[in-house]
Amino acid sequence: MEGEDTSRRGSLGWLATAVVAALAVVICVDAWAAIVASRAAQALSTNALRSAELADEMRWQLTRLTPAPGALPPLEPATAEALLRLGRDIRAYEKLAGSDAERLEWAKLAALSRELADAWSVGDDDAALRTATRASESAERLISVNRAEADAIGSQLQNLEWFQVSVNALAGALVLVAFAELARARLRSLERERTAAARALATLENKNRELEAFAGRVAHDLRSPLAPVEVLAALLARGGQGEGDVRRIAGKIVGSTSRMSHLIEAMLAFSRSGRPPAGECEAAPVLTDVLEELRPEAEASEIRIELPEARVGCAPEVFAQIVRNLVGNALKYRSAERPCRVEITGNLGLQTLTLAVEDNGIGMDARAVRRAFQPFFRASTDRPGNGLGLAIVDRYVRALGGSIALTSRLGTGTRIEVRLPRAVAASAVENVPRMVSVLKPGGGPSGGARSAG
């Protein structure tokens, strides 16, 4: 679930980044287009249009300065004014000439205007006519160049507008796609939340049903030893029993209350198994202490032990409870047809210790194996117990981050493997000392040697 949340947050982050990037591109392109358009408009209005205006003015002055065929009239004030205006316009145009073609044509026109002024000064009508005609043609070409530049600037503005529209459309499409993906992601998130809520509700309902069933089983199991206590206490209350009868009744009451006490302790252990205390311990010494506690139950049984000396990542009382329930069940469900034999082995991984308890007892069928870890389930009702042992082991192991597996054959025996975390992950598992021991019927342990495995 955490991986899915991380992936979903990464996807939403990517979409948000895409939206921000698209908006940033739109803003940058619009700003750039506005600057370019402003400059182009300024060039169009200030340069191209002003150049065309000056070129028209120069053409008009050249028309005035073109003499009629025949004798050149004397230099009149109007003619002198036209020459002055032409020179002024040519000098003003110099600052506006932008392209190489425009500057080249301007230079030709400026030279021709000087030749025209000289022709009028000396009264050379042929030179004035010829020079005025050539200057007029140069002015026409200059006007054509200005118009071409104005058309180029207009085309540039149009292309810029289309480019701006295209970029805005693309960015808008990207933003729409991103928002659509965000909407889809939100819908998927809502669907997952709805599914998770439904799953949590179903889990809560299952837990409520399990709690009701648990309460019913507890009430039933407490009523069984409580009923004889009530009956026996009523007998004592009526009186008239002899000393022997009183002792016998008192013994039965003690037995019944003891069974209730054991059941209550088992239920408390089951309730605590989902929240094991923190800690770590050496596996082999704890196992030895548990086997010593179980020595009365292990009479006439052979217990073989081969366990690596390693620290497990759980408190000693938790590991003792796990081992006590596993070995206790192996001893409890022994077969009457053969001597009881229990093998306790362990294998080390880099981060885990796998503890296996195998017996040659009565075993279980497939249905019993499926229900073995259910609270209060008992594979055989003719053996003492309350059916909480394996349920406690299962909850402890899963709370510690381990795993448990059970295999069994009816009439052959049962094997349970518990994988527990090691206290410190090892870099290697070779050459780890192992405790090897055998508890034989009617005597103490034999062996007890340490070997390198």
Side-chain angles (χ1 to χ4, degrees):
M1 181 64 70
E2 182 178 356
E4 293 180 0
D5 291 341
T6 303
S7 176
R8 184 166 62 253
R9 286 194 295 269
S11 176
L12 293 178
W14 179 86
L15 290 173
T17 302
V19 171
V20 172
L23 294 177
V25 169
V26 170
I27 294 173
C28 292
V29 169
D30 286 348
W32 172 76
I35 294 173
V36 173
S38 176
R39 291 177 178 175
Q42 182 179 5
L44 183 62
S45 62
T46 303
N47 295 344
L49 297 180
R50 178 59 177 159
S51 299
E53 180 182 353
L54 287 174
D56 284 337
E57 178 68 19
M58 287 185 289
R59 183 172 59 179
W60 165 245
Q61 300 302 335
L62 287 171
T63 302
R64 294 174 63 190
L65 291 170
T66 302
L72 187 68
L75 188 63
E76 299 177 352
T79 304
E81 181 185 1
L83 287 171
L84 289 175
R85 286 179 177 273
L86 178 61
R88 184 193 61 190
D89 292 342
I90 289 175
R91 287 191 300 273
Y93 196 96
E94 181 182 6
K95 300 178 181 179
L96 301 176
S99 65
D100 293 339
E102 192 175 5
R103 283 192 292 270
L104 179 61
E105 199 61 48
W106 170 85
K108 292 178 182 179
L109 182 57
L112 290 171
S113 68
R114 288 192 295 271
E115 293 178 8
L116 181 60
D118 292 341
W120 274 98
S121 298
V122 299
D124 188 349
D125 58 342
D126 291 335
L129 180 59
R130 184 173 60 252
T131 304
T133 302
R134 291 173 58 194
S136 296
E137 293 174 353
S138 178
E140 291 293 340
R141 288 193 296 270
L142 198 57
I143 291 174
S144 298
V145 171
N146 280 312
R147 288 175 179 172
E149 289 187 356
D151 291 341
I153 294 175
S155 178
Q156 181 183 1
L157 289 174
Q158 186 177 9
N159 292 336
L160 179 62
E161 180 182 1
W162 279 110
F163 175 74
Q164 184 178 3
V165 170
S166 300
V167 171
N168 288 343
L170 180 61
L174 181 59
V175 171
L176 287 178
V177 170
F179 276 118
E181 287 296 325
L182 285 173
R184 290 178 56 192
R186 180 56 182 163
L187 289 176
R188 289 195 297 267
S189 177
L190 291 175
E191 181 63 22
R192 282 191 292 267
E193 291 175 2
R194 187 191 66 79
T195 303
R199 189 183 300 114
L201 182 60
T203 302
L204 182 61
E205 291 176 352
N206 290 335
K207 287 185 176 295
N208 288 336
R209 285 194 293 269
E210 291 177 0
L211 183 60
E212 292 175 0
F214 180 81
R217 288 192 294 267
V218 169
H220 176 269
D221 287 354
L222 283 177
R223 188 184 300 114
S224 295
L226 185 60
V229 171
E230 183 180 6
V231 172
L232 294 173
L235 288 176
L236 289 178
R238 285 198 300 265
Q241 297 87 4
E243 182 179 353
D245 292 335
V246 170
R247 290 180 178 177
R248 180 175 58 82
I249 293 173
K252 291 183 178 180
I253 291 175
V254 170
S256 296
T257 56
S258 178
R259 288 197 300 274
M260 284 191 293
S261 177
H262 290 161
L263 177 60
I264 293 172
E265 289 178 1
M267 287 189 295
L268 288 175
F270 179 74
S271 67
R272 291 191 296 264
S273 59
R275 301 180 300 277
E280 58 184 59
C281 65
E282 291 285 347
V286 175
L287 174 61
T288 301
D289 293 342
V290 170
L291 293 179
E292 185 64 29
E293 295 177 16
L294 295 175
R295 183 174 292 278
E297 289 88 344
E299 290 293 333
S301 301
E302 178 180 317
I303 302 178
R304 295 181 176 272
I305 307 163
E306 185 176 351
L307 187 68
E309 296 185 357
R311 296 184 68 82
V312 291
C314 63
E317 62 270 21
V318 174
F319 186 69
Q321 184 74 18
I322 292 173
V323 174
R324 185 181 298 111
N325 287 343
L326 295 180
V327 179
N329 274 2
L331 296 174
K332 183 189 306 180
Y333 291 97
R334 68 182 67 192
S335 173
E337 300 175 357
R338 49 188 173 271
C340 178
R341 187 179 69 252
V342 180
E343 293 185 2
I344 304 172
T345 57
N347 290 308
L348 281 181
L350 292 179
Q351 297 181 343
T352 59
L353 167 67
T354 301
L355 178 70
V357 177
E358 185 172 1
D359 62 64
N360 64 342
I362 61 175
M364 292 182 284
D365 58 20
R367 178 177 174 275
V369 169
R370 287 193 297 270
R371 301 183 59 194
F373 298 110
Q374 295 179 4
F376 294 102
F377 174 76
R378 297 169 61 189
S380 176
T381 57
D382 62 348
R383 308 296 168 101
N386 47 52
L388 286 173
L390 288 183
I392 293 172
V393 172
D394 179 59
R395 292 194 68 185
Y396 267 137
V397 171
R398 297 187 186 281
L400 293 169
S403 61
I404 185 170
L406 183 149
T407 57
S408 184
R409 289 184 61 187
L410 190 62
T412 301
T414 301
R415 176 183 176 87
I416 300 179
E417 290 187 358
V418 173
R419 183 175 287 106
L420 296 172
R422 295 180 62 178
V424 178
S427 58
V429 295
E430 296 84 1
N431 300 322
V432 177
R434 305 175 72 86
M435 182 186 78
V436 180
S437 180
V438 179
L439 300 179
K440 294 185 177 180
S446 64
R450 299 294 190 271
S451 65

